[in-house]
Amino acid sequence: MREGRIGVDIGGTKIAVALYSQDFDLVDKNVFSTPNSYPSFLKKIVSEVLEIERKNGFSTEVGVAVPGGVDVAKDLIFAPNLSFTAGKHVKTDISKELQRDIHLANDANCMALAEALYGAGKGYPTVFGLILGTGVGGGFVWNGKILNGVNGLAGEIGHIALSHRADSDGQIRQCGCGQKGDIESSLQGAALSSLFKEITGEDVTPIEVSNRAKVGDSAALCVLSQYFEIVAKSMVSLIYTFDPEIIVVSGGLNLLPGLYEEVPKRWDRYCVVDQIKTKFVPAQHGAMAGLLGAALLCDGV
């Protein structure tokens, strides 16, 4: 059998499994909905890994990207968008079912690693990877290595309170972590839809907001303008904490029209320095960044 690497990227609504060659060329990929119970979640991941190996004739190591914090010592993850994993030993359980050791890390750390080594952050010593989608996550790579922190929470900016909050930022929403008004509950996809409804009275998805803005819809452009203001405030908190040379953005909201032009125009007004030097760019690998980063875990990077 040929040798390779598998990356598993677990999200709140979908899970992706990708098979890579030893040189990290993509061989095969499958995406499926995230099950709603722990037994079905575990069973589905294991069956998909085994099937993609069997189908392609590969023997692999497996790396897994999970949303939220990772407590390595206790083998626990903190993932508000996957509440059924609370108290579960995800790494141990997947490893036992696959009958091999696996590697596991925060999904934003995996995305940041992929982009730092092979993507938009290549060549920069300090890279922050931001996931902007169903939830908000972050990961920090310093000189090609993931910075985890003693609690496994380095980069989890989603659970920092939103600074400079104004009434125009919309309703203060509850986060899965238990607090109200943090960065995740202010920036996640549901927050964009909520802001659109507050301003226009319409119930629409984030994708529809984006599509309307692309064709010049005035209401959508107005809502995105305010949303970018909230993103700018959040990025200043990130910069105060990590001060990276580049912020690379992935996730379901990373291609909102105007995001990369408007946020850097606005963030100076919320920062003590006159001109922020940090670059703000889309992930080169897009939705595949987390998968590639998970596979890279197999090589101990």
Side-chain angles (χ1 to χ4, degrees):
M1 296 183 77
R2 292 178 291 171
E3 293 188 359
R5 305 286 187 268
I6 283 180
V8 180
D9 189 8
I10 298 172
T13 57
K14 65 179 188 252
I15 298 173
V17 176
L19 172 64
Y20 293 89
S21 70
Q22 281 191 299
D23 295 325
F24 294 101
D25 294 321
L26 181 66
V27 176
D28 199 359
K29 184 183 80 159
N30 191 23
V31 181
F32 50 92
S33 297
T34 303
N36 57 15
S37 72
Y38 189 67
S40 57
F41 164 82
L42 192 62
K43 182 179 179 180
K44 184 64 172 173
I45 290 173
V46 171
S47 66
E48 290 289 340
V49 168
L50 294 176
E51 174 59 20
I52 204 168
E53 285 181 325
R54 184 203 62 77
K55 175 183 172 185
N56 295 281
F58 271 77
S59 171
T60 70
E61 289 188 63
V62 178
V64 179
V66 295
V70 177
D71 187 327
V72 176
K74 294 182 179 179
D75 184 21
L76 296 172
I77 67 173
F78 168 70
N81 292 321
L82 294 171
S83 58
F84 56 76
T85 62
K88 304 295 185 181
H89 302 294
V90 175
K91 182 177 185 291
T92 295
D93 291 343
I94 295 176
S95 178
K96 182 187 292 186
E97 293 295 324
L98 286 174
Q99 299 183 355
R100 74 193 85 166
D101 289 335
I102 69 163
H103 312 269
L104 184 145
N106 167 268
D107 58 355
N109 284 347
C110 291
M111 183 275 278
L113 182 64
E115 291 294 330
L117 297 181
Y118 294 108
K122 186 175 182 179
Y124 293 90
T126 55
V127 179
F128 194 96
L130 175 71
I131 294 180
L132 197 57
T134 304
V136 176
F140 189 53
V141 173
W142 188 335
N143 290 324
K145 297 290 184 181
I146 295 171
L147 178 66
N148 287 304
V150 68
N151 298 297
L153 293 173
E156 282 297 321
I157 65 149
H159 306 299
I160 297 174
L162 177 68
S163 66
H164 299 279
R165 177 175 283 282
D167 290 342
S168 56
D169 294 334
Q171 163 187 2
I172 296 177
R173 305 173 68 252
Q174 179 89 34
C175 180
C177 73
Q179 65 178 321
K180 294 181 179 180
D182 61 5
I183 287 173
E184 176 161 289
S185 61
S186 303
L187 289 188
Q188 62 189 174
L192 177 57
S193 293
S194 177
L195 187 63
F196 193 90
K197 185 172 183 178
E198 286 183 53
I199 293 175
T200 69
E202 289 187 73
D203 280 311
V204 300
T205 65
I207 292 174
E208 188 170 353
V209 176
S210 180
N211 289 339
R212 289 190 187 187
K214 288 175 182 176
V215 297
D217 179 84
S218 59
L221 291 169
C222 174
V223 172
L224 280 188
S225 178
Q226 185 52 42
Y227 180 77
F228 294 152
E229 203 74 25
I230 305 169
V231 177
K233 295 174 183 180
S234 302
M235 293 305 95
V236 169
S237 292
L238 186 163
I239 290 165
Y240 279 150
T241 308
F242 293 94
D243 206 12
E245 287 161 278
I246 189 167
I247 299 169
V248 182
V249 188
S250 183
L253 301 180
N254 85 316
L255 294 180
L256 290 173
L259 177 66
Y260 301 102
E261 296 77 27
E262 291 300 320
V263 171
K265 286 180 184 178
R266 299 160 187 260
W267 61 18
D268 285 351
R269 71 188 69 167
Y270 302 110
C271 189
V272 295
V273 300
D274 293 333
Q275 187 173 4
I276 292 173
K277 300 180 182 67
T278 302
K279 298 183 184 301
F280 188 67
V281 302
Q284 182 175 312
H285 294 286
M288 294 293 291
L291 278 168
L292 176 57
L296 285 166
L297 295 174
C298 299
D299 280 11
V301 295

